[in-house]
């Protein structure tokens, strides 16, 4: 009940986020959203550092290091740039990396791989009750979990 109630009942059946450290060198974020009615879903990451965007990846450039960000999802998505709404008039707004569903869905799993000073990619496979996130690049890994309810 992360979103509270709407006129017709709860806004979500389940909304969860898991952070998984991969061999101390990368972080995999798994977002799972289950809705009682079809809707648009997105996952966001915010930063004040410069970001370059690709089709399903982004590079965040810090003062001395860079962060490679790779995205995958169980449903069709698009990666878009957004701008935060600064509450400090003296500070530039943050950049938002928005992974957005391209159509209304009742359930979606979204994966984000954060690889500091390296490169990686994540692929997501859902087979019935189980999902597998496959990571390639700097930290090759496979992470399996229950699709519904994000049971790790």
């Amino acid at each position: 009940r992360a979103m509270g109630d709407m006129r017709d009942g709860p806004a979500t059946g389940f909304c969860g986020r898991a952070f998984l450290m991969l061999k101390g060198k990368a972080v995999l974020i798994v977002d799972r959203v289950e809705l009682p009615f079809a809707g648009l879903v997105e996952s966001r990451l915010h930063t004040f550092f410069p970001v370059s965007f690709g089709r399903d990846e982004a590079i965040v450039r810090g003062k001395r290091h860079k962060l490679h960000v790779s995205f995958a999802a169980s449903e069709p998505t698009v990666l878009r740039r957004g701008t935060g709404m600064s509450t400090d008039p003296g500070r530039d707004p943050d950049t938002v990396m928005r992974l957005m569903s391209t159509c209304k869905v009742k359930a979606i799993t979204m994966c984000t791989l954060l690889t500091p000073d390296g490169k990686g990619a994540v692929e997501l496979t859902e087979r019935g009750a189980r999902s597998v996130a496959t990571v390639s690049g700097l930290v090759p890994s496979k992470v399996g979990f229950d699709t519904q309810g994000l049971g790790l």
Side-chain angles (χ1 to χ4, degrees), residues 93-119:
D94 56 322
T95 298
V96 184
M97 292 168 270
R98 301 173 66 196
L99 185 64
M100 308 163 63
S101 63
T102 58
C103 58
K104 291 183 177 182
V105 297
K106 286 192 72 178
I108 188 169
T109 304
M110 299 172 150
C111 292
T112 305
L113 177 66
L114 307 174
T115 310
D117 292 322
K119 188 168 182 177

PDB file of all heavy atoms in Angstrom, residues 93-119:
ATOM      1  N   PRO A  93      18.983  22.767 -10.807  1.00  0.00           N
ATOM      2  CA  PRO A  93      18.223  21.542 -10.516  1.00  0.00           C
ATOM      3  C   PRO A  93      19.040  20.295 -10.852  1.00  0.00           C
ATOM      4  O   PRO A  93      19.985  20.339 -11.633  1.00  0.00           O
ATOM      5  CB  PRO A  93      17.002  21.654 -11.423  1.00  0.00           C
ATOM      6  CG  PRO A  93      17.401  22.581 -12.503  1.00  0.00           C
ATOM      7  CD  PRO A  93      18.423  23.518 -11.926  1.00  0.00           C
ATOM      8  N   ASP A  94      18.654  19.196 -10.242  1.00  0.00           N
ATOM      9  CA  ASP A  94      19.312  17.924 -10.497  1.00  0.00           C
ATOM     10  C   ASP A  94      18.838  17.342 -11.822  1.00  0.00           C
ATOM     11  O   ASP A  94      17.826  17.752 -12.375  1.00  0.00           O
ATOM     12  CB  ASP A  94      19.044  16.949  -9.353  1.00  0.00           C
ATOM     13  CG  ASP A  94      17.558  16.727  -9.093  1.00  0.00           C
ATOM     14  OD1 ASP A  94      16.785  17.694  -9.201  1.00  0.00           O
ATOM     15  OD2 ASP A  94      17.176  15.598  -8.783  1.00  0.00           O
ATOM     16  N   THR A  95      19.609  16.367 -12.328  1.00  0.00           N
ATOM     17  CA  THR A  95      19.220  15.608 -13.512  1.00  0.00           C
ATOM     18  C   THR A  95      18.582  14.314 -13.039  1.00  0.00           C
ATOM     19  O   THR A  95      19.060  13.685 -12.102  1.00  0.00           O
ATOM     20  CB  THR A  95      20.441  15.288 -14.387  1.00  0.00           C
ATOM     21  OG1 THR A  95      21.006  16.518 -14.833  1.00  0.00           O
ATOM     22  CG2 THR A  95      20.070  14.443 -15.592  1.00  0.00           C
ATOM     23  N   VAL A  96      17.505  13.925 -13.702  1.00  0.00           N
ATOM     24  CA  VAL A  96      16.782  12.713 -13.337  1.00  0.00           C
ATOM     25  C   VAL A  96      16.882  11.718 -14.492  1.00  0.00           C
ATOM     26  O   VAL A  96      16.577  12.064 -15.636  1.00  0.00           O
ATOM     27  CB  VAL A  96      15.300  13.005 -13.027  1.00  0.00           C
ATOM     28  CG1 VAL A  96      14.585  11.743 -12.554  1.00  0.00           C
ATOM     29  CG2 VAL A  96      15.165  14.124 -12.008  1.00  0.00           C
ATOM     30  N   MET A  97      17.335  10.501 -14.187  1.00  0.00           N
ATOM     31  CA  MET A  97      17.301   9.400 -15.150  1.00  0.00           C
ATOM     32  C   MET A  97      15.982   8.674 -14.917  1.00  0.00           C
ATOM     33  O   MET A  97      15.765   8.111 -13.853  1.00  0.00           O
ATOM     34  CB  MET A  97      18.495   8.460 -14.931  1.00  0.00           C
ATOM     35  CG  MET A  97      19.824   9.094 -15.267  1.00  0.00           C
ATOM     36  SD  MET A  97      21.227   8.117 -14.696  1.00  0.00           S
ATOM     37  CE  MET A  97      21.443   8.816 -13.057  1.00  0.00           C
ATOM     38  N   ARG A  98      15.098   8.717 -15.915  1.00  0.00           N
ATOM     39  CA  ARG A  98      13.752   8.159 -15.787  1.00  0.00           C
ATOM     40  C   ARG A  98      13.595   6.959 -16.702  1.00  0.00           C
ATOM     41  O   ARG A  98      13.576   7.110 -17.917  1.00  0.00           O
ATOM     42  CB  ARG A  98      12.711   9.209 -16.148  1.00  0.00           C
ATOM     43  CG  ARG A  98      12.760  10.462 -15.311  1.00  0.00           C
ATOM     44  CD  ARG A  98      11.827  11.533 -15.824  1.00  0.00           C
ATOM     45  NE  ARG A  98      10.443  11.086 -15.681  1.00  0.00           N
ATOM     46  CZ  ARG A  98       9.423  11.664 -16.323  1.00  0.00           C
ATOM     47  NH1 ARG A  98       9.624  12.671 -17.142  1.00  0.00           N
ATOM     48  NH2 ARG A  98       8.207  11.202 -16.144  1.00  0.00           N
ATOM     49  N   LEU A  99      13.474   5.768 -16.140  1.00  0.00           N
ATOM     50  CA  LEU A  99      13.144   4.575 -16.909  1.00  0.00           C
ATOM     51  C   LEU A  99      11.632   4.435 -16.843  1.00  0.00           C
ATOM     52  O   LEU A  99      11.066   4.180 -15.773  1.00  0.00           O
ATOM     53  CB  LEU A  99      13.844   3.335 -16.348  1.00  0.00           C
ATOM     54  CG  LEU A  99      13.653   2.068 -17.176  1.00  0.00           C
ATOM     55  CD1 LEU A  99      14.283   2.226 -18.557  1.00  0.00           C
ATOM     56  CD2 LEU A  99      14.227   0.862 -16.456  1.00  0.00           C
ATOM     57  N   MET A 100      10.962   4.611 -17.991  1.00  0.00           N
ATOM     58  CA  MET A 100       9.502   4.734 -18.021  1.00  0.00           C
ATOM     59  C   MET A 100       8.879   3.635 -18.877  1.00  0.00           C
ATOM     60  O   MET A 100       9.374   3.348 -19.974  1.00  0.00           O
ATOM     61  CB  MET A 100       9.123   6.091 -18.609  1.00  0.00           C
ATOM     62  CG  MET A 100       9.818   7.258 -17.949  1.00  0.00           C
ATOM     63  SD  MET A 100       9.758   8.781 -18.924  1.00  0.00           S
ATOM     64  CE  MET A 100       7.996   9.068 -18.963  1.00  0.00           C
ATOM     65  N   SER A 101       7.789   3.045 -18.387  1.00  0.00           N
ATOM     66  CA  SER A 101       7.048   2.091 -19.221  1.00  0.00           C
ATOM     67  C   SER A 101       6.452   2.858 -20.398  1.00  0.00           C
ATOM     68  O   SER A 101       6.010   3.997 -20.250  1.00  0.00           O
ATOM     69  CB  SER A 101       5.965   1.372 -18.412  1.00  0.00           C
ATOM     70  OG  SER A 101       4.996   2.273 -17.931  1.00  0.00           O
ATOM     71  N   THR A 102       6.457   2.236 -21.577  1.00  0.00           N
ATOM     72  CA  THR A 102       5.937   2.915 -22.771  1.00  0.00           C
ATOM     73  C   THR A 102       4.445   2.653 -22.981  1.00  0.00           C
ATOM     74  O   THR A 102       3.844   3.229 -23.873  1.00  0.00           O
ATOM     75  CB  THR A 102       6.708   2.480 -24.032  1.00  0.00           C
ATOM     76  OG1 THR A 102       6.606   1.071 -24.169  1.00  0.00           O
ATOM     77  CG2 THR A 102       8.172   2.893 -23.932  1.00  0.00           C
ATOM     78  N   CYS A 103       3.891   1.766 -22.170  1.00  0.00           N
ATOM     79  CA  CYS A 103       2.458   1.485 -22.232  1.00  0.00           C
ATOM     80  C   CYS A 103       1.981   1.165 -20.822  1.00  0.00           C
ATOM     81  O   CYS A 103       2.785   0.923 -19.929  1.00  0.00           O
ATOM     82  CB  CYS A 103       2.169   0.333 -23.191  1.00  0.00           C
ATOM     83  SG  CYS A 103       3.033  -1.188 -22.760  1.00  0.00           S
ATOM     84  N   LYS A 104       0.690   1.170 -20.632  1.00  0.00           N
ATOM     85  CA  LYS A 104       0.147   0.839 -19.315  1.00  0.00           C
ATOM     86  C   LYS A 104       0.353  -0.647 -19.029  1.00  0.00           C
ATOM     87  O   LYS A 104       0.171  -1.488 -19.905  1.00  0.00           O
ATOM     88  CB  LYS A 104      -1.337   1.196 -19.243  1.00  0.00           C
ATOM     89  CG  LYS A 104      -1.578   2.687 -19.263  1.00  0.00           C
ATOM     90  CD  LYS A 104      -3.042   3.016 -19.105  1.00  0.00           C
ATOM     91  CE  LYS A 104      -3.233   4.517 -19.066  1.00  0.00           C
ATOM     92  NZ  LYS A 104      -4.642   4.875 -18.855  1.00  0.00           N
ATOM     93  N   VAL A 105       0.757  -0.940 -17.801  1.00  0.00           N
ATOM     94  CA  VAL A 105       1.038  -2.316 -17.385  1.00  0.00           C
ATOM     95  C   VAL A 105       0.356  -2.602 -16.051  1.00  0.00           C
ATOM     96  O   VAL A 105       0.055  -1.680 -15.296  1.00  0.00           O
ATOM     97  CB  VAL A 105       2.561  -2.559 -17.247  1.00  0.00           C
ATOM     98  CG1 VAL A 105       3.263  -2.398 -18.587  1.00  0.00           C
ATOM     99  CG2 VAL A 105       3.177  -1.640 -16.207  1.00  0.00           C
ATOM    100  N   LYS A 106       0.128  -3.874 -15.766  1.00  0.00           N
ATOM    101  CA  LYS A 106      -0.373  -4.267 -14.449  1.00  0.00           C
ATOM    102  C   LYS A 106       0.753  -4.729 -13.550  1.00  0.00           C
ATOM    103  O   LYS A 106       0.614  -4.717 -12.333  1.00  0.00           O
ATOM    104  CB  LYS A 106      -1.432  -5.367 -14.579  1.00  0.00           C
ATOM    105  CG  LYS A 106      -2.753  -4.806 -15.112  1.00  0.00           C
ATOM    106  CD  LYS A 106      -3.873  -5.789 -14.966  1.00  0.00           C
ATOM    107  CE  LYS A 106      -4.255  -5.906 -13.528  1.00  0.00           C
ATOM    108  NZ  LYS A 106      -5.375  -6.801 -13.277  1.00  0.00           N
ATOM    109  N   ALA A 107       1.890  -5.142 -14.158  1.00  0.00           N
ATOM    110  CA  ALA A 107       3.049  -5.574 -13.373  1.00  0.00           C
ATOM    111  C   ALA A 107       4.304  -5.343 -14.212  1.00  0.00           C
ATOM    112  O   ALA A 107       4.279  -5.534 -15.435  1.00  0.00           O
ATOM    113  CB  ALA A 107       2.931  -7.036 -12.989  1.00  0.00           C
ATOM    114  N   ILE A 108       5.382  -4.941 -13.540  1.00  0.00           N
ATOM    115  CA  ILE A 108       6.645  -4.711 -14.233  1.00  0.00           C
ATOM    116  C   ILE A 108       7.800  -4.877 -13.252  1.00  0.00           C
ATOM    117  O   ILE A 108       7.673  -4.552 -12.069  1.00  0.00           O
ATOM    118  CB  ILE A 108       6.689  -3.308 -14.884  1.00  0.00           C
ATOM    119  CG1 ILE A 108       7.941  -3.138 -15.778  1.00  0.00           C
ATOM    120  CG2 ILE A 108       6.598  -2.217 -13.840  1.00  0.00           C
ATOM    121  CD1 ILE A 108       7.904  -1.884 -16.650  1.00  0.00           C
ATOM    122  N   THR A 109       8.890  -5.420 -13.752  1.00  0.00           N
ATOM    123  CA  THR A 109      10.140  -5.486 -13.000  1.00  0.00           C
ATOM    124  C   THR A 109      11.154  -4.649 -13.763  1.00  0.00           C
ATOM    125  O   THR A 109      11.275  -4.777 -14.987  1.00  0.00           O
ATOM    126  CB  THR A 109      10.655  -6.936 -12.883  1.00  0.00           C
ATOM    127  OG1 THR A 109       9.632  -7.742 -12.289  1.00  0.00           O
ATOM    128  CG2 THR A 109      11.915  -7.004 -12.029  1.00  0.00           C
ATOM    129  N   MET A 110      11.858  -3.774 -13.056  1.00  0.00           N
ATOM    130  CA  MET A 110      12.869  -2.917 -13.669  1.00  0.00           C
ATOM    131  C   MET A 110      14.192  -3.130 -12.951  1.00  0.00           C
ATOM    132  O   MET A 110      14.226  -3.178 -11.724  1.00  0.00           O
ATOM    133  CB  MET A 110      12.464  -1.451 -13.570  1.00  0.00           C
ATOM    134  CG  MET A 110      11.177  -1.105 -14.270  1.00  0.00           C
ATOM    135  SD  MET A 110      10.676   0.583 -13.901  1.00  0.00           S
ATOM    136  CE  MET A 110       9.817   1.007 -15.385  1.00  0.00           C
ATOM    137  N   CYS A 111      15.263  -3.281 -13.713  1.00  0.00           N
ATOM    138  CA  CYS A 111      16.593  -3.466 -13.134  1.00  0.00           C
ATOM    139  C   CYS A 111      17.502  -2.314 -13.544  1.00  0.00           C
ATOM    140  O   CYS A 111      17.487  -1.889 -14.697  1.00  0.00           O
ATOM    141  CB  CYS A 111      17.212  -4.774 -13.624  1.00  0.00           C
ATOM    142  SG  CYS A 111      16.391  -6.242 -13.011  1.00  0.00           S
ATOM    143  N   THR A 112      18.309  -1.861 -12.596  1.00  0.00           N
ATOM    144  CA  THR A 112      19.296  -0.810 -12.836  1.00  0.00           C
ATOM    145  C   THR A 112      20.626  -1.309 -12.290  1.00  0.00           C
ATOM    146  O   THR A 112      20.716  -1.676 -11.123  1.00  0.00           O
ATOM    147  CB  THR A 112      18.897   0.494 -12.114  1.00  0.00           C
ATOM    148  OG1 THR A 112      17.574   0.865 -12.518  1.00  0.00           O
ATOM    149  CG2 THR A 112      19.863   1.614 -12.429  1.00  0.00           C
ATOM    150  N   LEU A 113      21.650  -1.314 -13.154  1.00  0.00           N
ATOM    151  CA  LEU A 113      22.986  -1.738 -12.749  1.00  0.00           C
ATOM    152  C   LEU A 113      23.880  -0.508 -12.660  1.00  0.00           C
ATOM    153  O   LEU A 113      24.021   0.229 -13.628  1.00  0.00           O
ATOM    154  CB  LEU A 113      23.563  -2.733 -13.758  1.00  0.00           C
ATOM    155  CG  LEU A 113      24.993  -3.195 -13.486  1.00  0.00           C
ATOM    156  CD1 LEU A 113      25.060  -4.021 -12.199  1.00  0.00           C
ATOM    157  CD2 LEU A 113      25.526  -3.979 -14.677  1.00  0.00           C
ATOM    158  N   LEU A 114      24.484  -0.293 -11.489  1.00  0.00           N
ATOM    159  CA  LEU A 114      25.400   0.831 -11.260  1.00  0.00           C
ATOM    160  C   LEU A 114      26.815   0.267 -11.187  1.00  0.00           C
ATOM    161  O   LEU A 114      27.122  -0.533 -10.299  1.00  0.00           O
ATOM    162  CB  LEU A 114      25.064   1.535  -9.950  1.00  0.00           C
ATOM    163  CG  LEU A 114      23.608   1.980  -9.770  1.00  0.00           C
ATOM    164  CD1 LEU A 114      23.394   2.528  -8.374  1.00  0.00           C
ATOM    165  CD2 LEU A 114      23.231   3.011 -10.810  1.00  0.00           C
ATOM    166  N   THR A 115      27.671   0.671 -12.124  1.00  0.00           N
ATOM    167  CA  THR A 115      29.037   0.174 -12.172  1.00  0.00           C
ATOM    168  C   THR A 115      30.008   1.355 -12.109  1.00  0.00           C
ATOM    169  O   THR A 115      30.191   2.056 -13.101  1.00  0.00           O
ATOM    170  CB  THR A 115      29.289  -0.637 -13.462  1.00  0.00           C
ATOM    171  OG1 THR A 115      28.256  -1.608 -13.610  1.00  0.00           O
ATOM    172  CG2 THR A 115      30.630  -1.334 -13.417  1.00  0.00           C
ATOM    173  N   PRO A 116      30.634   1.600 -10.945  1.00  0.00           N
ATOM    174  CA  PRO A 116      31.598   2.705 -10.833  1.00  0.00           C
ATOM    175  C   PRO A 116      32.887   2.379 -11.588  1.00  0.00           C
ATOM    176  O   PRO A 116      33.424   1.280 -11.477  1.00  0.00           O
ATOM    177  CB  PRO A 116      31.874   2.811  -9.334  1.00  0.00           C
ATOM    178  CG  PRO A 116      30.848   1.966  -8.655  1.00  0.00           C
ATOM    179  CD  PRO A 116      30.379   0.965  -9.663  1.00  0.00           C
ATOM    180  N   ASP A 117      33.361   3.351 -12.356  1.00  0.00           N
ATOM    181  CA  ASP A 117      34.634   3.229 -13.079  1.00  0.00           C
ATOM    182  C   ASP A 117      34.752   1.931 -13.866  1.00  0.00           C
ATOM    183  O   ASP A 117      35.811   1.308 -13.920  1.00  0.00           O
ATOM    184  CB  ASP A 117      35.820   3.378 -12.116  1.00  0.00           C
ATOM    185  CG  ASP A 117      35.912   4.793 -11.571  1.00  0.00           C
ATOM    186  OD1 ASP A 117      35.650   5.736 -12.336  1.00  0.00           O
ATOM    187  OD2 ASP A 117      36.219   4.944 -10.383  1.00  0.00           O
ATOM    188  N   GLY A 118      33.666   1.500 -14.452  1.00  0.00           N
ATOM    189  CA  GLY A 118      33.658   0.284 -15.264  1.00  0.00           C
ATOM    190  C   GLY A 118      32.448   0.313 -16.162  1.00  0.00           C
ATOM    191  O   GLY A 118      31.747   1.322 -16.258  1.00  0.00           O
ATOM    192  N   LYS A 119      32.205  -0.807 -16.820  1.00  0.00           N
ATOM    193  CA  LYS A 119      31.032  -0.882 -17.682  1.00  0.00           C
ATOM    194  C   LYS A 119      30.364  -2.222 -17.467  1.00  0.00           C
ATOM    195  O   LYS A 119      31.038  -3.226 -17.257  1.00  0.00           O
ATOM    196  CB  LYS A 119      31.447  -0.723 -19.140  1.00  0.00           C
ATOM    197  CG  LYS A 119      30.271  -0.586 -20.071  1.00  0.00           C
ATOM    198  CD  LYS A 119      30.681  -0.137 -21.449  1.00  0.00           C
ATOM    199  CE  LYS A 119      29.421   0.022 -22.291  1.00  0.00           C
ATOM    200  NZ  LYS A 119      29.692   0.521 -23.606  1.00  0.00           N
TER     201      LYS A 119
END
